[in-house]
Amino acid sequence: MPKVKRINREKILEGALSIIQTKGISGLNARSLACELNCSTQPIYSEYKNMDELKGELKKEAEITYKNCVNYYLNETNYPSYLSVGLGYVKFAKEHKGLFQYLYMQSQENKGQLFEDVNEKEIQSILVEHYKLSLHDAKNYHTEMAIYTYGLACALNVDHVQISEEEVAEHLKIQFKALMLIYRKEEEIK
């Protein structure tokens, strides 16, 4: 009878996520993961070709966690949809510090692109449908809003500021309205 694997792909991924949450991505290597799982590095390399393959899977898991935070606000609260996306992003930064840092606070491969967001298409759709912005303006508007939200999320992620969800929502609403005044005025001038 073949020996049952004690350390499978799922356990390896869980262990890697745990390390990222507590020590950050810089704390993740084959030895630290083996230590976390209480095994040798052999089971890790029997499931993954290399650490880059594992990190690719970790990125997908982190993005799923981020989407779950956004979906919570979209589906479980009465906040407007665009505000819900921002609140979900901030919730992700506050509650999943290591994953947020892994996705958004390290050098990115996509040089030249300001932000990579797995919700980008949905966000643009909200701005076009609900707020009647052109697709071009929706992209620009969201970039401006993302810069503000990113700063707020980073400050909360590193515990530089401590504010409630209601205060976060109020800050995002003010920025949203200020930018909307600019974009609507530009539309009237055209």
Side-chain angles (χ1 to χ4, degrees), residues 7-176:
I7 306 295
N8 58 25
R9 210 168 172 89
E10 186 177 323
K11 285 188 190 244
I12 293 168
L13 194 56
E14 286 173 11
L17 287 167
S18 174
I19 290 171
I20 288 177
Q21 282 293 80
T22 57
K23 299 176 184 161
I25 191 66
S26 62
L28 178 65
N29 57 54
R31 286 193 177 163
S32 67
L33 182 54
C35 184
E36 174 80 15
L37 298 170
N38 198 23
C39 68
S40 70
T41 58
Q42 189 277 329
I44 298 163
Y45 288 116
S46 71
E47 293 292 334
Y48 293 95
K49 286 185 281 189
N50 53 43
M51 290 302 288
D52 286 338
E53 181 185 8
L54 172 61
K55 287 177 182 176
E57 223 171 286
L58 284 169
K59 182 179 180 199
K60 290 176 188 170
E61 287 297 314
E63 288 172 344
I64 288 168
T65 303
Y66 164 49
K67 281 188 153 209
N68 288 341
C69 288
V70 169
N71 287 334
Y72 166 77
Y73 282 98
L74 287 170
N75 301 321
E76 305 295 326
T77 70
N78 292 322
Y79 289 114
S81 52
Y82 190 76
L83 179 58
S84 291
V85 174
L87 287 168
Y89 184 76
V90 171
K91 177 183 176 73
F92 178 63
K94 283 178 70 173
E95 295 180 5
H96 305 279
K97 293 179 184 291
L99 296 180
F100 179 83
Q101 291 167 10
Y102 177 50
L103 287 182
Y104 298 111
M105 293 178 72
Q106 61 178 346
S107 180
Q108 299 294 314
E109 296 169 5
N110 57 345
K111 303 268 190 263
Q113 182 180 341
L114 280 175
F115 291 99
E116 180 182 336
D117 191 332
V118 295
N119 291 310
E120 185 176 6
K121 298 289 183 215
E122 294 91 341
I123 292 166
Q124 289 172 3
S125 176
I126 289 168
L127 290 169
V128 169
E129 291 172 24
H130 296 287
Y131 300 100
K132 307 302 181 213
L133 295 178
S134 68
L135 183 57
H136 177 266
D137 283 350
K139 287 178 182 178
N140 290 337
Y141 180 94
H142 180 61
T143 297
E144 301 257 356
M145 194 68 195
I147 291 167
Y148 179 84
T149 308
Y150 178 77
L152 182 58
C154 287
L156 289 161
N157 179 271
V158 298
D159 297 322
H160 186 69
V161 295
Q162 296 291 326
I163 58 177
S164 68
E165 177 183 307
E166 292 77 21
E167 291 170 301
V168 170
E170 194 56 37
H171 287 293
L172 293 177
K173 283 179 196 175
I174 290 167
Q175 185 67 14
F176 176 87

